[in-house]
Amino acid sequence: MFIGGRQPQVTMATSKTGSFYLTETVTIPNATAAGTIIQGVIDLGAYVNVATSQAIAIESVDFVYQVGTDFAGRMAGAVASDTALTAQLSDLNPGTALLRADNQSLVSSGQINVDFTNNVLTSSSDFYPDNFGPANLSEAFMVVNDSLYLAVSNGDALTTDVMFVTARIRCRVAKLSSKDWMAIAIQSTASDN
C-alpha cells in the first residue's frame, strides 16, 4: 500500500544509531544563467548495506539559502528581478532536471520566491508524513540507494553575488527486514525513468 504516493510503510525497521545530520551545499556562481540546475551528491555508501538490509531513515530535511561570500548578503544582491530558487533532494539521480512532486524518489523540496519589485521574500518547504508521525522509524523516508542528490535551480539569472543552498538532513541508520528492504529497492528502481 502506498501512502500519499510515497514509499510503502515499513513495519520491521529498527534503529541502529541515534539521529545525526548529513549536509550538502550547492554553489550557484554569480552570473549563472536563468533555469540552470546545479547538483550536489551525498555519498551514503558508508551507511547503506545490501547484505545486512541496512538503510538510511530520513527524518527531516531543511534547506538553507545564503548569499555572498560572507554568507550574510541580501537576496536583492543576488538577483535583479522577480525569481524563484528551487531545491530538491532525491534518492535517484535526476540529472539536469527537477522532479514532479509525485515522483517517488523525491525526498523533499523547498523554494524561495523573490518579489524583487516589492522587496518581499517568501519560502516554502514540502511536508511529508515523517514530519507528523510518531518518533519511530515507520514514519521516516527510507533510502536504500548509495547516494542522495541535491538539485538546485534559479528561475532568473543571478547578478553580482554568489548563492549557497545547503540541505541539512536529519537521519538515522536503520536495519530493515529483508522483505521491506527489497520492496523499497524495487520501488526505487521502478521510479527511475
Side-chain angles (χ1 to χ4, degrees), residues 29-50:
N30 62 341
T32 298
T36 301
I37 296 176
I38 300 173
Q39 186 182 78
V41 180
I42 302 166
D43 182 9
L44 300 179
Y47 312 107
V48 174
N49 187 314
V50 176

Side-chain angles (χ1 to χ4, degrees), residues 9 26 88 93-94 103 120 146-147 155 157 173 193:
Q9 186 169 354
V26 168
Q88 291 186 339
N93 188 350
N103 188 306
V120 176
D146 59 359
S147 297
V173 174
N193 327 15

Side-chain angles (χ1 to χ4, degrees), residues 11-49:
T11 57
M12 301 302 290
T14 56
S15 180
K16 291 187 76 171
T17 68
S19 295
F20 61 93
Y21 286 89
L22 297 172
T23 60
E24 176 66 19
T25 299
V26 168
T27 303
I28 305 173
N30 62 341
T32 298
T36 301
I37 296 176
I38 300 173
Q39 186 182 78
V41 180
I42 302 166
D43 182 9
L44 300 179
Y47 312 107
V48 174
N49 187 314

Side-chain angles (χ1 to χ4, degrees), residues 92-95 97 99-100 103-105 187-193:
L92 288 176
N93 188 350
L99 301 174
R100 202 170 72 184
N103 188 306
Q104 299 203 17
S105 67
Q187 176 183 303
S188 178
T189 305
S191 68
D192 187 14
N193 327 15

Side-chain angles (χ1 to χ4, degrees), residues 70-149:
D70 64 354
F71 314 113
R74 296 180 319 114
M75 188 63 68
V79 299
S81 63
D82 296 349
T83 192
L85 296 154
T86 303
Q88 291 186 339
L89 184 71
S90 62
D91 68 347
L92 288 176
N93 188 350
T96 58
L98 293 176
L99 301 174
R100 202 170 72 184
D102 64 349
N103 188 306
Q104 299 203 17
S105 67
L106 182 62
V107 177
S108 186
S109 68
Q111 186 174 65
I112 284 191
N113 293 294
V114 180
D115 181 346
F116 187 83
T117 308
N118 295 308
N119 197 28
V120 176
L121 178 73
T122 57
S123 68
S124 64
S125 292
D126 289 341
F127 295 103
Y128 44 100
D130 50 304
N131 281 342
F132 301 106
N136 68 26
L137 292 175
S138 67
E139 299 297 326
F141 189 103
M142 296 293 176
V143 176
V144 297
N145 298 319
D146 59 359
S147 297
L148 287 171
Y149 301 89

